[in-house]
Amino acid sequence: MKKTVSRRNFLKGGLAGTAAVAVIQNKEAHAAQSFEGYPEGMGVLVDLTRCIGCRSCEAACNKEQELPEPAKPFDDYSVFDEIKHGQKRRTDETAYTVVNRYDVPNLDHPLFRKIQCNHCQEPACLTSCFVNAYTKTPEGAVIYNSKVCVGCRTCMIACPFYIPTFKYSSAFDPRIMKCVFCYDTRLKDGKPPACVEACPQEALTFGRRNDLINMGRQRIRETPGKYVEHIYGEKEVGGTAWMYISSVPFDQVGFDTHVPKEPILNSVKDFLAIVPMVLTIWPGLFVGFHLLATRKEKIKEQEKEDKEGQV
Amino acid sequence: MQARKRIMQTALAIAIGGVLIAPAQIWSMDAEDAPESVTIDSLVNLYTGVEFDHAMHVDYASCQECHHHTTGGEVVNPNCARCHSTSGEADEVTCTGCHATDRFNETYIRTLEAPELYHIDKPGLKGAYHLNCISCHETTSGPTGCQDCHTMTDAGEKMFYTGKYSPAKGHSAPGH
């Protein structure tokens, strides 16, 4: 009798193959997980104890990035009282960075927090973008290419900090508006971004990310009691180029302290790893199943035909 | 002649002895060595320069509060004292002598590589002024608003969209 692959064995083989691919894919996933960012990547350390809420960074950003005229002057501090949809001010298509005021209980003075793109080491916007409009440059910036953007806005959903915004005023020429670390005009020439240069208090310290972590630790260590012992962004979402130190717990000054300590990508990596497998192996596998399932019927049909022929 | 010679010798001995046994503090600077006022104009493109009344500020703060360990007095800050308790008066006591005007230039950032370097976090000139001035002004009720010390220039008003560049009333930013 001619030895054929039984249906059972074929299924077993198919499953083993699938499992093998899944294992290999997982290995790759682990390799990607250990990416610690570009060694020479730059960043900014934001010291909340130094910020006085002067909004010079906002003005400098507006000028540098040629953003439209603001609704109120940059030395108008009534913006700190603005609440939209129950929230403090956020970045939008007219402002890549905003400063908000936080009145912390039991503190005799308010604290100010500047927000902008944190330029993640492994950006969720980048991994979510299916046309590769985002790039993490070796200098540390997460930049964006409007030429390939299709305006799907997945990046806006993917960002754990709600930073990318959509230029709704030009929906047919899709454009995401977000801080680009002044990459084109400054960072790629080794210069600090405009906001950092404008800050009178040096609340924003520009430097290599690795050096900034050391600076942050030195400040925390050498002025006991001044800071909480944490650098926000050192570990959050796998590390960000912009990091913060604060005198009060971070959740009291608007930070999301529940973001994972690993890249957002890791939450979806296992699923994403299956996608190519599904696309490449499954068609062959299921065509095989189909052929096997219909083989007996075909043989019967053939036999029937043969019998009819003989008659 | 003899008597005169003896007097000269004694005077010389006293002079030399005085130099040898003088405590270090004698060599520290005091307010009389300082200029009456200092012109601070590194932000002159956005804000008018400031005429800093040094003589007046001497009454409010000790030398060390602004000059750290460089004027030769007793070093108060424990972090400075770790190395500088006996370093005496420095060759350079001006702010610009230590605090760079372009703090974040590439060469400076490279120097932070030196593993033995303690001063990895020295503020630039602008940061040094504002951090020191404003924190003290807050406790001594000195001026703390931007334009309380330096008024904006035309370029400054343009950048901040203020003064004659203020956005028109009723105007609102585009967007949803």
Side-chain angles (χ1 to χ4, degrees):
Chain A
M1 191 185 152
K2 195 180 152 194
K3 188 156 187 205
T4 50
V5 180
S6 76
R7 184 182 151 123
R8 180 162 298 193
N9 280 338
F10 182 83
L11 278 173
K12 272 185 195 164
L15 280 175
T18 311
V21 170
V23 167
I24 291 165
Q25 293 278 13
N26 260 343
K27 259 190 183 165
E28 280 170 7
H30 279 299
Q33 203 169 32
S34 65
F35 177 68
E36 285 178 357
Y38 294 105
E40 292 286 294
M42 307 301 287
V44 174
L45 181 69
V46 186
D47 190 331
L48 298 194
T49 68
R50 291 185 178 183
C51 181
I52 50 168
C54 71
R55 301 184 66 209
S56 295
C57 50
E58 288 186 44
C61 175
N62 175 283
K63 188 182 174 199
E64 180 76 17
Q65 297 297 330
E66 294 168 353
L67 294 168
E69 180 182 84
K72 290 178 182 170
F74 285 111
D75 61 351
D76 182 342
Y77 304 118
S78 68
V79 294
F80 295 138
D81 298 319
E82 281 176 16
I83 298 283
K84 268 183 201 159
H85 309 299
Q87 286 184 318
K88 289 183 185 292
R89 296 195 304 147
R90 283 176 55 180
T91 53
D92 63 28
E93 65 179 280
T94 64
Y96 290 169
T97 184
V98 295
V99 177
N100 280 318
R101 189 191 63 215
Y102 292 85
D103 297 306
V104 182
N106 304 323
L107 200 66
D108 59 354
H109 58 89
L111 287 176
F112 299 92
R113 169 196 173 211
K114 174 189 187 296
I115 51 172
Q116 72 296 309
C117 172
N118 284 328
H119 300 274
C120 302
Q121 300 290 80
E122 285 195 67
C125 55
L126 183 153
T127 45
S128 76
C129 181
F130 70 95
V131 291
N132 283 341
Y134 286 95
T135 311
K136 174 78 176 174
T137 75
E139 296 89 344
V142 178
I143 55 168
Y144 159 82
N145 177 7
S146 64
K147 289 199 180 87
V148 296
C149 179
V150 295
C152 74
R153 286 164 281 162
T154 313
C155 51
M156 292 167 60
I157 314 242
C159 176
F161 305 112
Y162 307 100
I163 291 300
T165 60
F166 191 63
K167 197 170 184 178
Y168 285 97
S169 53
S170 73
F172 292 104
D173 178 20
R175 183 148 182 17
I176 291 290
M177 303 292 277
K178 81 161 199 60
C179 159
V180 289
F181 215 146
C182 291
Y183 180 75
D184 297 318
T185 48
R186 291 164 164 270
L187 188 69
K188 71 173 161 49
D189 306 319
K191 285 195 232 157
C195 53
V196 169
E197 208 167 84
C199 180
Q201 284 278 91
E202 219 168 279
L204 313 174
T205 307
F206 172 75
R208 275 178 299 185
R209 186 174 183 272
N210 293 339
D211 293 337
L212 294 176
I213 293 171
N214 289 336
M215 282 180 205
R217 287 187 184 146
Q218 194 184 53
R219 279 187 212 174
I220 292 169
R221 189 175 61 240
E222 299 200 342
T223 42
K226 187 175 180 186
Y227 299 98
V228 292
E229 263 184 62
H230 184 68
I231 303 177
Y232 189 95
E234 184 185 355
K235 296 269 163 42
E236 277 74 9
V237 297
T240 55
W242 278 65
M243 295 170 289
Y244 293 80
I245 48 176
S246 164
S247 55
V248 299
F250 284 92
D251 54 353
Q252 292 184 20
V253 271
F255 286 87
D256 183 355
T257 50
H258 298 290
V259 291
K261 294 285 183 287
E262 53 179 47
I264 300 298
L265 172 63
N266 288 5
S267 321
V268 291
K269 215 178 237 173
D270 294 338
F271 164 73
L272 289 175
I274 295 170
V275 174
M277 184 193 75
V278 169
L279 293 179
T280 54
I281 295 177
W282 280 23
L285 190 66
F286 286 112
V287 167
F289 287 166
H290 175 74
L291 291 176
L292 274 173
T294 54
R295 189 183 57 152
K296 279 179 184 165
E297 284 169 26
K298 273 195 178 157
I299 289 171
K300 270 182 194 163
E301 263 175 40
Q302 191 66 44
E303 280 172 354
K304 212 178 180 181
E305 274 174 25
D306 288 351
K307 269 183 190 169
E308 277 168 7
Q310 280 170 1
V311 170
Chain B
M1 274 303 277
Q2 277 288 332
R4 197 173 163 191
K5 201 174 175 185
R6 192 162 291 153
I7 290 167
M8 288 288 282
Q9 279 172 344
T10 316
L12 194 67
I14 288 168
I16 292 170
V19 169
L20 289 177
I21 61 167
Q25 269 77 4
I26 285 183
W27 296 99
S28 68
M29 299 180 103
D30 55 32
E32 281 94 69
D33 301 324
E36 282 283 304
S37 76
V38 180
T39 309
I40 300 173
D41 56 1
S42 51
L43 291 178
V44 80
N45 55 333
L46 297 178
Y47 297 94
T48 51
V50 179
E51 207 55 48
F52 173 73
D53 190 344
H54 192 282
M56 184 268 278
H57 282 85
V58 162
D59 299 334
Y60 284 95
S62 67
C63 303
Q64 296 93 319
E65 276 176 65
C66 298
H67 292 280
H68 318 296
H69 58 80
T70 56
T71 47
E74 192 198 344
V75 181
V76 199
N77 186 324
N79 287 330
C80 305
R82 291 209 300 257
C83 297
H84 294 290
S85 58
T86 56
S87 41
E89 188 194 318
D91 294 338
E92 184 62 81
V93 291
T94 64
C95 303
T96 43
C98 293
H99 296 282
T101 45
D102 58 342
R103 154 88 157 85
F104 300 116
N105 73 70
E106 242 175 317
T107 336
Y108 179 83
I109 283 167
R110 283 276 153 215
T111 61
L112 301 180
E113 276 171 12
E116 70 278 10
L117 181 71
Y118 170 78
H119 289 291
I120 57 170
D121 193 21
K122 192 169 62 185
L125 185 65
K126 182 168 62 170
Y129 283 141
H130 287 101
L131 284 170
N132 226 344
C133 298
I134 294 175
S135 64
C136 193
H137 281 188
E138 274 172 346
T139 56
T140 55
S141 19
T144 51
C146 306
Q147 301 211 55
D148 296 345
C149 286
H150 37 44
T151 49
M152 259 183 210
T153 62
D154 187 64
E157 289 191 346
K158 203 171 176 183
M159 181 168 130
F160 279 79
Y161 284 96
T162 188
K164 62 174 175 284
Y165 300 99
S166 287
K169 280 267 183 289
H171 165 94
S172 71
H176 63 112

